Amino acid sequence: MIDSVEIIGLIAAILTTLAFIPQVIKVISTNSSKGLSLTTFIIFIIGVILWFIYGIFKSSISMILGNGITFFLALIIIVYIIKNKKTNL
Amino acid sequence: MIDSVEIIGLIAAILTTLAFIPQVIKVISTNSSKGLSLTTFIIFIIGVILWFIYGIFKSSISMILGNGITFFLALIIIVYIIKNKKTNL
């Protein structure tokens, strides 16, 4: 059974994960990552990997699922930023 | 005493928090939030508030501190996006 605290975590995980979808859509549809900081997303994705590991130790389904998906969304953004930087060289 | 799992969480919190600093600097120094999705940051900040509450229930110092600071960094970005949208009207 999922307790009420875990439900807060689950909603938090869903929100901080879904949050990146509009940004990913914006980057893909405009084919531009202008304005986005590469440093931010690289530091962020390393943090997300550590949160994922932390979630495994804390047996937190919310953290494992949320950070797992956020990892892939942040990765898409990073790929676009690097691709755009290369194009602009 | 902080255990080794909590150290992973602490580093994760530090990284996902510090991550937003280059983005905040970019937004402030260029005085532009172009390319940043307002929807992303609004959904994200609500998620961060819930992670903060979840951290209190889980007695996780990393989550409380990390999400507390991330809240303020995300808030700065949101204020800039809205300010920029108004200027562009």
Side-chain angles (χ1 to χ4, degrees), chain A residues 13-32:
Chain A
I14 291 170
L15 292 179
T16 49
T17 301
L18 289 187
F20 289 95
I21 296 177
Q23 188 66 66
V24 168
I25 292 174
K26 190 163 193 165
V27 164
I28 295 177
S29 63
T30 59
N31 195 24
S32 164

Side-chain angles (χ1 to χ4, degrees), chain A residues 6 16 19 23 35 37 40 51, chain B residues 6 16 19 23 35 37 40 51 54:
Chain A
E6 208 54 41
T16 49
Q23 188 66 66
S37 162
T40 283
W51 275 131
Chain B
E6 208 54 40
T16 49
Q23 188 65 66
S37 162
T40 284
W51 275 132
Y54 181 77

Side-chain angles (χ1 to χ4, degrees), chain A residues 5-6 8-9 11-13 15-16 19 22-23 26 34-37 40 43-44 46-47 50-51 54 57-58 60, chain B residues 5-6 8-9 11-13 15-16 19 22-23 26 34-37 40 43-44 46-47 50-51 54 57-58 60 63:
Chain A
V5 173
E6 208 54 41
I8 298 176
I11 300 172
L15 292 179
T16 49
Q23 188 66 66
K26 190 163 193 165
K34 203 170 177 285
L36 294 177
S37 162
T40 283
I43 301 173
F44 183 73
I46 298 169
L50 291 179
W51 275 131
Y54 182 76
F57 279 113
K58 283 266 177 179
S60 163
Chain B
V5 173
E6 208 54 40
I8 298 175
I11 300 172
L15 292 178
T16 49
Q23 188 65 66
K26 190 163 195 166
K34 202 169 177 287
L36 293 177
S37 162
T40 284
I43 301 172
F44 184 73
I46 299 168
L50 290 179
W51 275 132
Y54 181 77
F57 279 112
K58 285 265 176 178
S60 163
M63 298 189 75

Side-chain angles (χ1 to χ4, degrees), chain B residues 32-88:
Chain B
S32 164
S33 58
K34 202 169 177 287
L36 293 177
S37 162
L38 179 60
T39 320
T40 284
F41 281 93
I42 285 174
I43 301 172
F44 184 73
I45 206 166
I46 299 168
V48 166
I49 294 168
L50 290 179
W51 275 132
F52 180 85
I53 296 167
Y54 181 77
I56 294 171
F57 279 112
K58 285 265 176 178
S59 306
S60 163
I61 312 158
S62 328
M63 298 189 75
I64 296 170
L65 277 180
N67 288 293
I69 301 171
T70 306
F71 170 81
F72 288 104
L73 295 173
L75 193 64
I76 295 174
I77 296 175
I78 289 174
V79 168
Y80 265 82
I81 299 177
I82 294 173
K83 210 180 75 172
N84 274 234
K85 273 191 192 294
K86 281 197 173 162
T87 314
N88 293 333

